[in-house]
Amino acid sequence: MSAEGGTKAIVAALLANTGIAASKFVAFLFTGSSSMIAESVHSVADAGNQALLLVGGKRAKRGRTQQHQFGYGRERYFYAFVVAVVLFTIGAMFSLYEGYHKISHPEELKSPGWAFGVLGAAIIMEIFSFRTAIVESNKVRGDQSWWSFIRRAKAPELPVVLLEDLGALVGLFFALFGVTMAVVTGDGVWDGIGTIGIGVLLAVIAVILAFETKSLLIGEGADPEVERAIVEALESVEQVDRLVHIRTQYMGPEELLIAAKIAVSHDDTAVDVARGIDAAEAKIRSQFPEAKLIYLEPALWEPAAGGAETPAVPKPAEDSETPAS
C-alpha cells in the first residue's frame, strides 16, 4: 500500500511541478522577478526530484544477485537522499544567491500581472498535489502525528513528497509576498527578500530530509512496538523458552530482516527445535508480512540449582559486542 500510494503522490507532484515550472518561467520572462526565477528553479528541481524517486522505486524492484544478496531495496533510500542534496544545492543555494543579487541590485518589476496570475494558478496546482500526498499518507499514517510519521516512516517517498509540496506551497506565498510588496512600494528589494525566504525554507527542508534519509540509508531497526510484538510472537511458540537477544533492520521499505537467538530446552530433539523455528517464523510472518528475512539461532536453556532457570547464554544486556582487552 505504501509503495502504490507513494507512486501516486509522486506522479501527481511531478505533473503539477512540471506545469508550474513552465508557467513560472514564462512569468519571469515578462516580469524579471527574482522570486519568479527562484520559484522556477525550485519547481524544476522538484520535478527532477520526483523523477529520481520514480527511478529509485523501479531500480529497487530488481531481484537479488550474487553481489547484492539482500536485493536492492535500499536504492529507494539512496535516491531519496539524492533528492535532499539536489533540493539543497540547486533549490536553496540558487534562491539565496538570486535573492542576494536582487537585494544588492534591485530592479523594478515589469508586468506584475503575469506574476500574480501565475502564482495564483501555481498555488491551486500545488494544493492539488499536496492534497494527494496527504490523502495517500493518511492511508498508512495511522494515529501518528505528522512529525512522527515523517520521522518514523520506512518508505521515504511519501515524507519526501509531503515536505517538498509543503515547501513549494509556502514558497509560493513567500514569492507572492515579495512581488506584492515590490509592486506596492515600488522597491525591488522586497522581491529579493521574498527570494531569500524561499532559499532559507528550502535549505531547512533539505536538511530535515537529508538527516531522515541518511538514517534509513545506514540502516534502521523496527520500531519499539513492532519489536515487542515480534518478541511476544517468538516467546508464544511452545518450543521457545525465551528470547536471548534480537536484532532487526530494514533492508528496504517492505523488507525487514530479523535475526534472533532463542533459548530452547536441553530435552528438545533436533526435530522439536526445527519445528519450533518453523512455527516461530510462520507466526512472525503472519503478523508482519514485511519480515521477509528471518534467521533464528537456537541456544540451550538449562535449569539452575534451586529450581530457578537461567540461560546457558548471556542475557541481552550482557550480549553487547565489546573489544577484547
Side-chain angles (χ1 to χ4, degrees):
M1 182 184 296
S2 61
E4 294 176 0
T7 300
K8 185 176 180 180
I10 293 170
V11 171
L14 176 60
L15 293 175
N17 282 312
T18 301
I20 291 171
S23 61
K24 287 175 182 175
F25 187 72
V26 170
F28 162 70
L29 293 178
F30 279 94
T31 64
S33 167
S34 67
S35 292
M36 294 311 302
I37 188 60
E39 276 295 301
S40 299
V41 173
H42 176 191
S43 294
V44 169
D46 279 353
N49 288 341
Q50 273 99 53
L52 285 172
L53 291 176
L54 290 174
V55 169
K58 184 175 181 180
R59 291 180 62 84
K61 293 178 181 178
R62 290 179 294 168
R64 296 179 177 86
T65 64
Q66 181 61 33
Q67 186 176 13
H68 298 278
Q69 297 185 15
F70 287 100
Y72 292 85
R74 285 186 179 171
E75 289 249 21
R76 288 167 67 180
Y77 299 152
F78 170 75
Y79 279 93
F81 185 79
V82 173
V83 163
V85 174
V86 170
L87 194 64
F88 185 84
T89 56
I90 296 181
M93 291 298 97
F94 179 84
S95 297
L96 291 172
Y97 168 77
E98 187 66 23
Y100 170 77
H101 176 74
K102 197 69 173 184
I103 291 174
S104 302
H105 305 86
E107 298 176 6
E108 184 179 355
L109 294 185
K110 301 171 290 184
S111 305
W114 277 93
F116 289 125
V118 167
L119 287 172
I123 288 172
I124 293 173
M125 286 188 282
E126 203 62 67
I127 288 175
F128 165 76
S129 175
F130 192 35
R131 180 183 177 278
T132 301
I134 290 174
V135 169
E136 296 303 321
S137 297
N138 279 331
K139 294 178 181 179
V140 295
R141 183 169 65 97
D143 58 357
Q144 299 179 80
S145 67
W146 283 107
W147 179 244
S148 178
F149 173 68
I150 291 171
R151 291 293 311 272
R152 300 174 65 182
K154 305 306 179 185
E157 291 84 2
L158 284 173
V160 168
V161 174
L162 275 170
L163 286 176
E164 278 195 346
D165 284 353
L166 176 62
L169 197 55
V170 175
L172 286 169
F173 283 105
F174 280 171
L176 185 61
F177 170 79
V179 171
T180 300
M181 292 301 295
V183 171
V184 170
T185 64
D187 189 352
V189 169
W190 284 105
D191 187 29
I193 292 173
T195 308
I196 291 287
I198 294 169
V200 172
L201 173 69
L202 293 180
V204 170
I205 291 176
V207 169
I208 293 173
L209 284 178
F211 273 100
E212 293 308 314
T213 52
K214 167 180 169 285
S215 180
L216 290 167
L217 193 57
I218 291 173
E220 283 190 3
D223 293 333
E225 58 268 24
V226 173
E227 193 165 296
R228 281 194 294 269
I230 293 172
V231 172
E232 290 175 3
L234 281 171
E235 294 186 336
S236 68
V237 175
E238 180 183 355
Q239 292 86 348
V240 178
D241 286 329
R242 72 183 288 271
L243 175 75
V244 179
H245 69 73
I246 185 171
R247 302 288 185 270
T248 62
Q249 188 172 107
Y250 277 90
M251 309 307 294
E254 283 94 30
E255 189 167 14
L256 177 63
L257 166 67
I258 300 173
K261 180 175 285 189
I262 54 175
V264 297
S265 173
H266 69 284
D267 293 329
D268 287 347
T269 65
V271 173
D272 292 333
V273 172
R275 285 175 179 168
I277 289 175
D278 290 343
E281 290 183 0
K283 197 157 191 176
I284 292 172
R285 288 196 173 98
S286 68
Q287 295 183 40
F288 304 98
E290 69 271 24
K292 301 292 197 309
L293 303 166
I294 302 176
Y295 300 103
L296 301 180
E297 177 187 355
L300 287 181
W301 174 274
E302 298 178 349
E309 293 184 327
T310 56
V313 292
K315 295 180 180 180
E318 301 168 352
D319 194 56
S320 59
E321 296 179 2
T322 56
S325 56

